[in-house]
Amino acid sequence: MMNKRNRYKKGTLIMSFPGLLLLLLIFVHSGCSTDDTQTVVNFDELVLQDEFDMDGVPDTAVWGYDIGRGVNGWGNNELQYYTDRTENVKVENGFLLITAQQESFKGASYTSARLLTKGLFDQTYGRFETRIRLPWGQGIWPAFWMLGADIDTNPWPGAGEIDIMEFRGQEPTTVLGSVHGPGYSGGESITKSYTLENDRFDTGFHVFGIEWGTEYVNFYVDDVLYNQITPADVTGEWVFDKPFFILVNLAVGGTFVGSPNGETVFPQTMLVDYVRVYK
């Protein structure tokens, strides 16, 4: 695993031929898998990276924005208004900062930001990873995730969703990795959690990633494989053999986390060190 001291030269897109090293890791697994055989694939050809080295706005060749309140709070009864203002999203000192503010803005009581690579970058299979220090507090909901690139013609959940990292701010030691598809979406998603021991996700940086190939999605925290989801685990159609694009956002409130309370401190900032994709 690279760090900021030993990283690739800055570049938006780096295209290369795929190099795959197939391994089998055998261990007793109590999650979604139907047996104890885990397929592990090491993807090591870098095809997309953003190290957030240039202060200012995020790289427009990689990132666009969802703006507004969405339909029914982006389908989740979320409370924030998403903007592209520097108060909510900027690159500074080598990090992408996504900040949730408590303020009255266009009918909402909170603002934040949601970035996505839709129309700019998508990929079928590979390793997708990020290094983040998460915000915290009741009603704080950061995520690093993916949607099927055909979502405009194949509405959710048909397009599919892969939640590489999802976090309830009131549970600062635990993250979740999930997939959503037809027959297993929302509260019926296929999911598993990962809990730190004697640590919290808001006090330091952690790497969240998936390795995704034909008929499996592996979920990692700091290179620990904690879940593998396969077609045998889902309760409907497997929709993960096509291009997906990336999203990173910080929501406030919603059915998944509930509303902020009097103990929730604002502003809350999600610090993203890098985003990298391999194939």
Side-chain angles (χ1 to χ4, degrees):
M1 182 62 57
M2 296 176 296
N3 56 38
K4 280 281 188 177
R5 295 189 181 90
N6 182 26
R7 59 174 175 252
Y8 289 93
K9 183 178 179 181
K10 176 72 175 181
T12 301
L13 290 176
I14 302 174
M15 302 307 297
S16 58
F17 294 102
L20 304 180
L21 176 61
L22 296 177
L23 302 173
L24 283 178
L25 174 65
I26 311 299
F27 71 106
V28 176
H29 178 61
S30 59
C32 297
S33 189
T34 55
D35 60 29
D36 59 1
T37 302
Q38 299 277 333
T39 301
V40 178
V41 179
N42 291 334
F43 299 90
D44 56 9
E45 300 294 331
L46 186 67
V47 294
L48 172 84
Q49 72 175 138
D50 197 338
E51 304 288 340
F52 305 112
D53 286 337
M54 299 294 293
D55 285 2
V57 300
D59 188 345
T60 57
V62 178
W63 303 106
Y65 303 89
D66 278 330
I67 303 294
R69 302 189 70 178
V71 177
N72 297 323
W74 301 98
N76 301 303
N77 298 310
E78 298 167 27
L79 302 176
Q80 79 290 327
Y81 191 105
Y82 283 134
T83 87
D84 59 359
R85 305 178 307 159
T86 56
E87 293 92 336
N88 297 117
V89 56
K90 61 183 176 181
V91 176
E92 186 174 81
N93 297 324
F95 300 101
L96 170 67
L97 281 66
I98 301 178
T99 300
Q101 306 272 4
Q102 186 174 24
E103 59 179 327
S104 179
F105 189 87
K106 296 189 176 182
S109 298
Y110 305 91
T111 60
S112 190
R114 175 159 130 170
L115 285 70
L116 67 170
T117 67
K118 183 181 180 184
L120 299 169
F121 176 82
D122 55 53
Q123 180 172 293
T124 306
Y125 310 140
R127 181 176 178 91
F128 297 72
E129 71 174 27
T130 185
R131 184 172 181 263
I132 300 176
R133 191 185 78 189
L134 293 171
W136 76 285
Q138 168 66 43
I140 301 299
W141 182 8
F144 180 72
W145 52 300
M146 301 166 66
L147 286 170
D150 60 345
I151 192 166
D152 287 342
T153 57
N154 185 17
W156 188 90
E161 175 180 332
I162 303 173
D163 297 326
I164 300 172
M165 180 282 301
E166 199 168 23
F167 179 73
R168 290 183 173 100
Q170 60 264 43
E171 300 174 5
T173 65
T174 301
V175 295
L176 297 99
S178 311
V179 298
H180 303 250
Y184 50 99
S185 62
E188 303 301 319
S189 65
I190 309 302
T191 186
K192 189 177 180 183
S193 64
Y194 179 88
T195 299
L196 291 174
E197 301 219 357
N198 304 314
D199 200 358
R200 296 164 53 120
F201 285 106
D202 62 302
T203 58
F205 285 88
H206 295 271
V207 176
F208 307 99
I210 59 167
E211 289 202 341
W212 163 38
T214 305
E215 298 193 336
Y216 67 89
V217 183
N218 290 340
F219 292 81
Y220 295 85
V221 173
D222 297 328
D223 281 336
V224 176
L225 171 60
Y226 72 95
N227 192 19
Q228 179 176 83
I229 298 175
T230 73
D233 300 313
V234 304
T235 54
E237 180 186 0
W238 181 260
V239 292
F240 305 103
D241 296 309
K242 61 184 179 183
F244 276 61
F245 61 86
I246 301 168
L247 304 94
V248 56
N249 70 289
L250 174 52
V252 179
T255 52
F256 184 68
V257 294
S259 297
N261 61 23
E263 297 181 357
T264 308
V265 176
F266 286 93
Q268 285 290 327
T269 299
M270 179 179 185
L271 274 74
V272 184
D273 185 19
Y274 64 74
V275 172
R276 299 174 185 155
V277 180
Y278 302 82
K279 67 182 297 184

